[in-house]
Amino acid sequence: MQVAEAYAELIRRTKETALLGSCAGVLGWDERVNLPPAGGEFRGEQMALIARMTHEMSTDPFIGEALSTVEASKPDGDMAVNVRELRRGYDRAVKLPKALVEELARVTIRAQQAWQEARQADDFAGFQPWLEKVVTLKREEAQAVGYKEHPYNALLDEYEPGTTAADVKQIFAGLTKELVPLIEAIKNSPRRPKTEILHREYPVDLQKIFGTAAAAAIGFDFGAGRLDTTTHPFCSGIGPGDCRITTRYNPKFFNESFFGILHEAGHGIYEQGLDPDHFGTPPGAFCSLGIHESQSRLWENQVGRGPAFWQHFLPRARQVFLTALRDVSFDDFYFAINDVKPSFIRVESDEATYNLHIILRFELELDLLAGTLKPGDLPAAWNEKFEKMFHLKVPDNRQGCLQDIHWSMGGLGYFPTYTLGNLYAAQLMEQARKDLGDLDADFTRGEFSRLKGWLNVNVHKPGRRYRAGELCERITGQPLSHAPLIRYLRDKYAPLYGC
Amino acid sequence: MQVAEAYAELIRRTKETALLGSCAGVLGWDERVNLPPAGGEFRGEQMALIARMTHEMSTDPFIGEALSTVEASKPDGDMAVNVRELRRGYDRAVKLPKALVEELARVTIRAQQAWQEARQADDFAGFQPWLEKVVTLKREEAQAVGYKEHPYNALLDEYEPGTTAADVKQIFAGLTKELVPLIEAIKNSPRRPKTEILHREYPVDLQKIFGTAAAAAIGFDFGAGRLDTTTHPFCSGIGPGDCRITTRYNPKFFNESFFGILHEAGHGIYEQGLDPDHFGTPPGAFCSLGIHESQSRLWENQVGRGPAFWQHFLPRARQVFLTALRDVSFDDFYFAINDVKPSFIRVESDEATYNLHIILRFELELDLLAGTLKPGDLPAAWNEKFEKMFHLKVPDNRQGCLQDIHWSMGGLGYFPTYTLGNLYAAQLMEQARKDLGDLDADFTRGEFSRLKGWLNVNVHKPGRRYRAGELCERITGQPLSHAPLIRYLRDKYAPLYGC
């Protein structure tokens, strides 16, 4: 096989597999947005067929042979990127025994049901056998994939290529050291925002209009995307020209849909910024889940919870939510959306304490995968760790170790990407402010295109050409650090809480 | 190859191909209901990939070999049905040269654009070269597939398996002979309904609620289906438990959405009545387009334009459309929805004259395919024939031969299925009334389940086990005839028009 020929066919097949996979993207979106109740079983068969076909296509021995041929030619540029990333995916896929993949699919479907019931009934014992099965299977997966140092690395690598548990440990340690005293100082401040403001009447129709306008303003392209309503919000980048985000509305809580929409729109702007010419191949793919999350957090928090953003949007919000916001001052509103308060539920927590929720889960996951923590001992371990970190006693497992769906889905190794997202967001935003000058002046005018353009060029267009850490260093000149996030949080909270 | 083994693998592959094809069903529905404008090109690539894959799967030489093996064993029952129908599809697919299929796909996409522009500008000359290409390609298709007597048969057979142009000619001749004098008599009647009633204010929100309630009442299962809004209404049966219908709303015209919804719900009830255990194979597939259309016309017209239906629904409509219907009597409303008036546009025409529109198109199609009518002579031929049949002078080609999309899509041979649907609907309904006794008493009470159950058993569950004509004869004891439709129309119009 000639190198050029092997490479062309490799890329053709990779794109075709991605194209077929993108059909499952439409089916998955439709399942969550439109599917009639009776259609669930059939949709499962459709999705399973496409999953099987794409798996067969991407593990075809031809892929391995073509990769070897191209690798031997020592390619550079995008060819090298494609070979590196496709090799990574191919090796991982062929190393996993089919029986294990199928068992994982079967077990995690039933484990999710068991988790749902267990959470509702606050019955950890009902979930324990399923958690045991999932942990056992994920440890087998790590063995099959292979790893250095810790089995966690084999799982983390799927979400955050090239990042290891040791990397995460180190950066989380630095973060914890500075974050815990900051949260403590805020806790000890006598100042408290009037959060009642956010729990007034916010009619759903108006939230929809206001949230859509904000998503469009920051740069989500509704000519190439949609916003719909689902129980669990998500972003689905189907392919070039088609990216869909969802949210849920709470008529008695402003934050739920509004910051949710900014968050998903941030993911969406990333997807819309990927290079369509490279669709289906690494140069046209998102870099890592951490970088993906950095884009959602950047728009949601760095921009969307900032004072300049609300200089522009609060007067507009007052015109839309007449009764709720008529008498609310800028200072009161801004303080309310930046309330910091240790609490039990991760998804309801604030920008600062959120990261402690992640660190707790990361540490428990490490022990679960190492086998040093038995799934049956999880509630005790969770509660002890939680009390140490948050100075709060967990009242029940619903508000403790049963709150998240991730482990029942087999998503061990996923949680750290959320805080990596916060860290990358802060470091990228610091750099954008350096490069672009007075961004707050833009935001005050409702102008976000310079920031979006900067992200397009620096973060989105490179795709998966660089690993997350490498991308960060290329853009900011520094490896990922906890310092920018801490600086950002301190700068924000010092004037609010006088700490 | 053992027969049992060959048959099992044949069915497995057939079902798998249908399952993949059903994914394109979701993509196609989504394209028309949800797709962001910029996503069109990518959606085209997704659909083309699935079309190519399903084509490859269904023309795999294994299918032909397995069919031969099973055929040699002289199977009976469902095995015989499957072999007969799969052979039909396989032979047709392998006979068509790939180049012709691709050329047809290319040409019809561009011909549709040309048609849209030509219709808007009333510019037949702009469409003529495309119509010429389409007709030439469809004649080549007929040659490739093979036929007896008339090339039309090769095309009609795709929509109405087993029915020939001669069959259609004969039944249309009988129909014309009785329909033309009936329409003439109605035209000469001095009585005219107050159709202005239907053009009052019908708020879209209320139409949606009322139409949805009616669709549910006649038996469309919203637990296994949806109703959405599109420019061109359609029904998409995606698979077991998932059938989707659409409509469009005109705030100044009651009929457009209401009878449109009944029509699509009729298609939907058929799809929902197919046997899910046989999904993807002939016993679980619809019989023919004519039978499919009979189910939509039966609910739209035979039931939905009948007096008993409105005994139940008019009082409810008055409560919903307060201002429009408050002062409208039953007789005035019922007469208005049964207005008969020769007009230019097929899709806006009434139950009686509709069939003349179809007969005209069928006759022109025969000549186009035989080569005796040149596409360039179409406008003249259309207008001459129209004047003879309708006693109306066609003012322009927009209201003449440019009104329908079908020919630009390559759908020659499709039109007759509409009137076959009307004929089957009348003959089936006559039989249902015989079998079930006083159905009007049911309808007056808003009760449609006995009729729906009868259709489920007699029409839906058999799937494609029998050809349309055979199914009709099994159910009604008679071959398809124009007589029941004529009886139905006479019985309805005699008291209204005094003719």
Side-chain angles (χ1 to χ4, degrees):
Chain A
M1 200 160 29
Q2 297 289 312
V3 172
E5 187 193 331
Y7 183 67
E9 177 65 7
L10 180 67
I11 296 300
R12 194 195 67 74
R13 287 189 185 214
T14 301
K15 287 194 168 193
E16 191 168 282
T17 307
L19 186 59
L20 184 59
S22 76
C23 298
V26 180
L27 297 181
W29 174 86
D30 181 84
E31 180 173 18
R32 301 212 252 174
V33 178
N34 297 312
L35 195 69
E41 193 182 326
F42 185 72
R43 178 56 47 90
E45 290 175 29
Q46 292 177 310
M47 303 272 286
L49 175 66
I50 294 189
R52 185 155 56 73
M53 293 178 87
T54 52
H55 181 77
E56 278 167 16
M57 288 158 82
S58 57
T59 55
D60 188 300
F62 171 86
I63 305 288
E65 290 157 26
L67 279 168
S68 300
T69 303
V70 183
E71 280 159 351
S73 76
K74 308 246 177 263
D76 57 12
D78 274 359
M79 206 163 162
V81 170
N82 275 317
V83 167
R84 179 192 74 209
E85 293 299 316
L86 297 178
R87 167 61 73 188
R88 189 181 145 269
Y90 178 76
D91 283 354
R92 187 177 184 97
V94 295
K95 276 181 192 165
L96 286 174
K98 203 175 165 194
L100 178 60
V101 173
E102 288 175 0
E103 180 70 2
L104 257 167
R106 260 194 306 273
V107 164
T108 52
I109 281 175
R110 297 189 55 199
Q112 283 175 67
Q113 292 164 344
W115 165 77
Q116 217 149 22
E117 288 161 24
R119 185 175 70 153
Q120 208 145 26
D122 189 32
D123 168 32
F124 180 78
F127 180 51
Q128 188 185 320
W130 292 102
L131 181 61
E132 284 166 357
K133 278 192 231 291
V134 169
V135 171
T136 303
L137 290 169
K138 294 303 281 187
R139 292 183 66 187
E140 283 177 31
E141 180 181 328
Q143 292 301 331
V145 171
Y147 57 85
K148 285 186 196 145
E149 289 169 21
H150 198 293
Y152 198 85
N153 289 336
L155 305 184
L156 179 61
D157 195 70
E158 195 179 346
Y159 309 119
E160 208 57 28
T163 299
T164 64
D167 298 334
V168 174
K169 251 190 213 167
Q170 196 196 357
I171 199 151
F172 281 11
L175 179 62
T176 308
K177 208 175 139 196
E178 308 223 42
L179 189 57
V180 168
L182 177 62
I183 291 169
E184 202 55 28
I186 290 172
K187 225 175 117 181
N188 293 332
S189 161
R191 300 192 198 164
R192 281 287 156 261
K194 299 174 190 154
T195 51
E196 154 281 326
I197 291 165
L198 305 170
H199 292 279
R200 296 176 178 178
E201 297 292 339
Y202 292 92
V204 167
D205 285 2
L206 301 182
Q207 287 192 53
K208 208 172 273 190
I209 292 165
F210 190 66
T212 303
I218 65 170
F220 181 78
D221 179 0
F222 280 92
R226 302 175 49 90
L227 168 63
D228 295 272
T229 309
T230 52
T231 317
H232 300 286
F234 66 97
C235 166
S236 172
I238 287 167
D242 192 1
C243 175
R244 301 172 182 200
I245 60 176
T246 72
T247 191
R248 68 173 161 222
Y249 298 93
N250 179 341
K252 297 282 283 178
F253 188 32
F254 175 79
N255 291 14
E256 191 152 347
S257 83
F258 188 78
F259 291 105
I261 288 172
L262 290 186
H263 180 98
E264 302 305 337
H267 281 303
I269 289 167
Y270 187 10
E271 291 284 331
Q272 291 182 335
L274 296 173
D275 190 341
D277 293 339
H278 288 289
F279 171 78
T281 62
F286 70 89
C287 176
S288 75
L289 286 184
I291 296 296
H292 222 310
E293 195 71 11
S294 79
Q295 299 305 289
S296 57
R297 303 290 172 133
L298 187 148
W299 289 106
E300 177 194 356
N301 294 331
Q302 300 274 340
V303 176
R305 286 184 206 264
F309 182 92
W310 288 103
Q311 292 290 354
H312 176 76
F313 276 106
L314 186 60
R316 283 154 185 83
R318 281 202 200 96
Q319 290 172 343
V320 174
F321 305 108
L322 284 173
T323 49
L325 293 177
R326 192 195 321 235
D327 62 340
V328 174
S329 73
F330 177 88
D331 288 349
D332 282 347
F333 183 84
Y334 176 66
F335 198 5
I337 60 167
N338 283 296
D339 182 30
V340 174
K341 195 179 163 192
S343 63
F344 297 105
I345 303 293
R346 175 182 60 89
V347 296
E348 293 168 6
S349 68
D350 57 79
E351 269 189 273
T353 62
Y354 185 93
N355 301 295
L356 299 185
H357 288 274
I358 295 303
I359 292 165
L360 174 143
R361 285 157 179 76
F362 170 64
E363 293 177 3
L364 293 170
E365 282 185 340
L366 283 176
D367 294 346
L368 282 169
L369 283 164
T372 51
L373 172 62
K374 298 277 161 268
D377 298 330
L378 178 66
W382 179 292
N383 296 351
E384 191 193 326
K385 211 180 262 287
F386 193 89
E387 199 171 342
K388 209 177 287 172
M389 289 171 83
F390 290 81
H391 308 296
L392 288 170
K393 224 178 157 60
V394 178
D396 54 44
N397 291 324
R398 294 176 54 150
Q399 296 181 71
C401 67
L402 281 178
Q403 68 182 270
D404 294 309
I405 196 174
H406 298 61
W407 291 338
S408 71
M409 292 171 72
L412 287 102
Y414 194 113
F415 280 121
T417 68
Y418 291 133
T419 278
L420 290 173
N422 287 333
L423 294 162
Y424 283 124
Q427 192 157 334
L428 290 170
M429 192 65 185
E430 211 171 59
Q431 188 63 39
R433 288 186 185 277
K434 274 184 209 154
D435 290 357
L436 299 174
D438 192 356
L439 274 177
D440 282 338
D442 289 27
F443 301 166
T444 303
R445 291 196 316 275
E447 183 48 69
F448 303 93
S449 58
R450 287 202 306 140
L451 175 58
K452 185 189 160 237
W454 185 92
L455 293 167
N456 280 154
V457 170
N458 290 288
V459 182
H460 309 165
K461 277 286 175 289
R464 199 168 277 214
R465 288 188 178 87
Y466 315 104
R467 294 282 158 83
E470 207 183 334
L471 181 71
C472 174
E473 212 166 329
R474 286 179 64 95
I475 300 172
T476 70
Q478 302 287 332
L480 182 63
S481 151
H482 65 277
L485 179 59
I486 291 292
R487 275 197 287 274
Y488 157 78
L489 292 174
R490 276 202 193 120
D491 286 354
K492 168 178 280 191
Y493 296 129
L496 289 175
Y497 289 94
C499 60
Chain B
M1 198 159 33
Q2 296 290 312
V3 172
E5 189 195 331
Y7 182 66
E9 178 63 7
L10 179 67
I11 296 300
R12 193 195 66 75
R13 288 189 185 215
T14 301
K15 287 193 168 193
E16 192 167 282
T17 306
L19 186 58
L20 185 59
S22 75
C23 298
V26 180
L27 297 182
W29 174 86
D30 181 83
E31 182 173 16
R32 300 212 252 175
V33 177
N34 296 311
L35 195 68
E41 192 182 328
F42 185 71
R43 180 55 49 88
E45 291 175 30
Q46 292 177 310
M47 305 272 288
L49 176 66
I50 294 188
R52 186 156 55 74
M53 293 178 85
T54 53
H55 182 77
E56 277 167 16
M57 288 158 83
S58 57
T59 54
D60 188 299
F62 171 87
I63 305 288
E65 290 158 26
L67 279 168
S68 300
T69 303
V70 183
E71 281 159 352
S73 75
K74 308 247 179 260
D76 57 12
D78 274 358
M79 206 163 160
V81 171
N82 275 317
V83 167
R84 179 192 73 210
E85 293 300 317
L86 297 178
R87 166 62 73 191
R88 190 181 144 269
Y90 177 78
D91 283 355
R92 188 177 183 96
V94 296
K95 276 181 193 164
L96 286 174
K98 205 177 163 191
L100 177 60
V101 173
E102 287 175 0
E103 180 71 2
L104 258 167
R106 259 195 305 275
V107 165
T108 53
I109 281 175
R110 297 189 54 198
Q112 282 174 66
Q113 292 164 343
W115 164 75
Q116 219 150 19
E117 289 162 24
R119 185 175 69 155
Q120 211 146 24
D122 189 33
D123 168 32
F124 181 78
F127 180 51
Q128 187 184 322
W130 292 102
L131 182 61
E132 283 166 357
K133 279 193 228 295
V134 169
V135 171
T136 303
L137 290 169
K138 294 303 280 187
R139 292 183 68 186
E140 283 176 30
E141 181 182 328
Q143 293 301 331
V145 172
Y147 57 83
K148 285 187 197 145
E149 291 169 19
H150 198 292
Y152 199 84
N153 290 336
L155 306 184
L156 179 61
D157 195 71
E158 194 179 347
Y159 310 118
E160 208 58 30
T163 299
T164 65
D167 298 334
V168 175
K169 250 189 210 168
Q170 194 195 0
I171 198 151
F172 280 11
L175 180 63
T176 307
K177 207 174 143 197
E178 309 225 40
L179 190 57
V180 168
L182 176 61
I183 291 169
E184 202 56 29
I186 290 172
K187 224 176 117 183
N188 293 333
S189 162
R191 300 193 200 165
R192 281 286 157 262
K194 299 172 190 156
T195 51
E196 154 281 324
I197 292 165
L198 305 170
H199 291 280
R200 296 177 179 179
E201 297 293 338
Y202 291 91
V204 167
D205 285 2
L206 302 181
Q207 287 193 52
K208 208 172 275 192
I209 292 166
F210 191 66
T212 303
I218 65 170
F220 181 78
D221 179 0
F222 280 93
R226 299 176 52 89
L227 167 63
D228 295 272
T229 309
T230 51
T231 317
H232 300 287
F234 66 97
C235 166
S236 172
I238 287 167
D242 192 3
C243 175
R244 302 172 182 200
I245 60 177
T246 72
T247 192
R248 69 171 160 223
Y249 298 94
N250 179 341
K252 297 281 284 180
F253 188 32
F254 175 79
N255 291 14
E256 190 152 349
S257 83
F258 188 78
F259 291 105
I261 288 173
L262 290 187
H263 180 99
E264 301 305 338
H267 281 303
I269 290 167
Y270 186 10
E271 290 285 330
Q272 292 182 336
L274 296 173
D275 191 340
D277 294 338
H278 290 288
F279 171 78
T281 62
F286 70 89
C287 176
S288 75
L289 285 185
I291 296 296
H292 223 311
E293 195 71 10
S294 79
Q295 300 305 288
S296 57
R297 303 290 171 132
L298 186 148
W299 289 107
E300 177 194 355
N301 294 332
Q302 299 274 339
V303 176
R305 287 186 206 262
F309 182 92
W310 288 103
Q311 292 290 353
H312 176 76
F313 275 106
L314 185 59
R316 283 155 185 83
R318 281 203 200 96
Q319 290 172 345
V320 174
F321 305 107
L322 284 173
T323 48
L325 293 178
R326 194 195 320 238
D327 62 339
V328 174
S329 73
F330 177 89
D331 289 348
D332 282 346
F333 183 84
Y334 175 68
F335 197 6
I337 61 167
N338 284 294
D339 181 30
V340 174
K341 194 178 163 193
S343 63
F344 297 105
I345 303 292
R346 175 184 61 88
V347 296
E348 293 167 6
S349 68
D350 58 79
E351 272 187 272
T353 62
Y354 185 94
N355 301 294
L356 299 185
H357 288 273
I358 295 303
I359 292 164
L360 174 143
R361 284 157 179 77
F362 169 65
E363 292 176 3
L364 293 170
E365 282 185 340
L366 283 175
D367 293 346
L368 282 169
L369 282 164
T372 51
L373 172 62
K374 298 277 162 266
D377 298 330
L378 179 66
W382 178 293
N383 295 352
E384 190 194 328
K385 210 179 261 289
F386 194 89
E387 197 170 346
K388 208 177 287 170
M389 288 170 85
F390 290 81
H391 307 297
L392 288 170
K393 225 178 158 60
V394 178
D396 55 45
N397 291 325
R398 296 176 52 149
Q399 295 179 74
C401 67
L402 281 179
Q403 69 182 270
D404 294 310
I405 196 174
H406 299 61
W407 291 337
S408 71
M409 293 171 70
L412 287 102
Y414 195 113
F415 280 121
T417 69
Y418 292 133
T419 279
L420 289 174
N422 287 334
L423 294 162
Y424 283 124
Q427 191 155 335
L428 289 170
M429 193 65 186
E430 209 171 62
Q431 188 63 38
R433 289 186 185 277
K434 274 185 207 152
D435 289 358
L436 298 174
D438 192 356
L439 273 177
D440 283 338
D442 289 27
F443 301 166
T444 303
R445 291 196 315 275
E447 182 49 67
F448 303 93
S449 58
R450 288 201 307 139
L451 175 60
K452 183 187 163 241
W454 186 91
L455 293 167
N456 281 153
V457 171
N458 290 288
V459 182
H460 309 166
K461 276 286 174 292
R464 200 168 276 214
R465 286 188 180 87
Y466 315 105
R467 294 283 160 82
E470 207 183 333
L471 181 72
C472 173
E473 211 164 333
R474 286 178 65 93
I475 299 172
T476 69
Q478 302 287 332
L480 181 65
S481 151
H482 65 276
L485 179 60
I486 290 295
R487 275 197 288 274
Y488 156 78
L489 292 174
R490 276 202 192 121
D491 286 355
K492 166 179 281 192
Y493 296 129
L496 289 175
Y497 290 94
C499 62

